[in-house]
Amino acid sequence: MGILSGKRVLVTGVLTDASIAFHVARIAQQEGATVVLTGFGRLTLVERIARRLPEPPPVLELDVTDTGQLASLAERVSVHVDGLDGVVHSIGNAPQSALGGNFLHTPWEDVASAVHISTYSLKALAVAALPLMSRGGAIVGLDFDASVAWPGYDWMGVAKAGLESCARYLARDLGPKGIRVNLMAAGPLKTIAARSIPGFDGLAEPWGERAPLGWDVSDPEPAARGCVALLSDWFPATTGEIVHVDGGAHAIGA
Ligand SMILES: NC(=O)c1ccc[n+]([C@@H]2O[C@H](COP(=O)([O-])OP(=O)(O)OC[C@H]3O[C@@H](n4cnc5c(N)ncnc54)[C@H](O)[C@@H]3O)[C@@H](O)[C@H]2O)c1
């Protein structure tokens, strides 16, 4: 019996087997969940990666900026599972002009794209999945600590600050339906999304020295376990929360 035994979980954001979402899906299955994945764009690649999971799950197409795909999501998911106990939002993207020290010169269109994909999408995904959810359900999003300004993270940092706020408002509005909404703030991990951030290595390297528990940028397991714990019934009275899985770095001054 795992901590997600009998639960049905929708996991977005698998792109490679380094994706945090891949490891969330893997551990969720190991803990007894039935998993459905969504993929963006390169669907055949996502399907190939999905075959590396303990039980290859179905992969549905979802671009979180596509209102048609969002509107049909519940119906498409319900072909595979008769409801959802958990939804994982593991999605982020910003145009290059929004990252890497160009903060003062990023045009609104590029900021809007970052916020649409990385922030508003949490609300859009929650509403799309809501017809399949009931009391005891959990939504978990992936965050990077937005309480300070980071080198190079720029408008993605602003989008993450918005995501933190968005999660609190969702927690307010979905709480009466018995649905929890929480974020997991991971320390830096080497993924495709991380590679697109200029100066990521400079941000990631000192992390392990600052973190009381240390931090391995190549090990997504702690972050994935944190997500699975938040999906489980072991946080029954926690919502609107940000759980840091970063080796403790957030608690320590420079
Ligand atoms: N890697 C890190 O250091 C780190 C740290 C903390 C939080 N996070 C967050 O974790 C989440 C997952 O990122 P990752 O590091 O696993 O990288 P990743 O590149 O593997 O995942 C990012 C995902 O976002 C998806 N995506 C982009 N645009 C989309 C769209 N329009 N519709 C649907 N999906 C779209 C991509 O397909 C990809 O699967 C992101 O929210 C990221 O900000 C990452």
Side-chain angles (χ1 to χ4, degrees):
M1 290 285 279
I3 62 169
L4 296 187
S5 187
K7 295 207 183 284
R8 303 147 299 177
V9 179
L10 182 69
V11 179
T12 66
V14 172
L15 180 58
T16 69
D17 58 8
S19 294
I20 299 169
F22 177 84
H23 296 278
V24 176
R26 175 177 61 78
I27 296 170
Q29 288 187 338
Q30 287 165 353
E31 290 298 321
T34 301
V35 170
V36 176
L37 297 185
T38 70
F40 165 62
R42 287 170 273 180
L43 262 253
T44 47
L45 170 64
V46 180
E47 278 159 359
R48 203 165 68 231
I49 298 295
R51 287 199 284 275
R52 296 183 193 165
L53 287 166
E55 285 170 44
V59 180
L60 308 176
E61 186 171 19
L62 181 64
D63 172 351
V64 281
T65 66
D66 185 321
T67 51
Q69 290 184 12
L70 285 163
S72 65
L73 182 69
E75 198 184 326
R76 292 185 289 133
V77 170
S78 67
V79 171
H80 304 282
V81 285
D82 55 4
L84 283 175
D85 305 289
V87 174
V88 178
H89 178 283
S90 189
I91 294 169
N93 186 257
Q96 279 302 302
S97 84
L99 300 161
N102 191 44
F103 188 80
L104 296 180
H105 307 292
T106 310
W108 162 242
E109 293 70 31
D110 290 349
V111 173
S113 167
V115 170
H116 193 177
I117 296 168
S118 314
T119 309
Y120 180 80
S121 64
L122 180 65
K123 192 281 300 183
L125 178 66
V127 169
L130 207 52
L132 296 175
M133 298 190 79
S134 55
R135 297 195 82 76
I139 298 171
V140 178
L142 269 296
D143 186 26
F144 189 67
D145 181 14
S147 62
V148 295
W150 297 103
Y153 205 47
D154 295 13
W155 288 100
M156 197 61 205
V158 177
K160 287 298 190 194
L163 183 77
E164 292 179 355
S165 181
C166 180
R168 287 188 286 268
Y169 279 95
L170 276 174
R172 180 196 68 182
D173 287 357
L174 300 184
K177 298 182 191 302
I179 296 169
R180 298 172 287 120
V181 184
N182 293 293
L183 297 181
M184 209 279 301
L189 290 164
K190 284 196 169 160
T191 63
I192 298 278
R195 251 185 270 158
S196 72
I197 300 161
F200 173 82
D201 288 343
L203 194 155
E205 268 157 25
W207 204 275
E209 289 156 33
R210 206 153 51 86
L213 294 173
W215 183 255
D216 180 354
V217 295
S218 305
D219 183 9
E221 180 95 10
R225 281 180 174 242
C227 289
V228 168
L230 285 169
L231 288 170
S232 80
D233 293 335
W234 290 92
F235 280 96
T238 299
T239 196
E241 187 58 278
I242 302 169
V243 175
H244 294 81
V245 180
D246 64 349
H250 72 284
I252 305 298

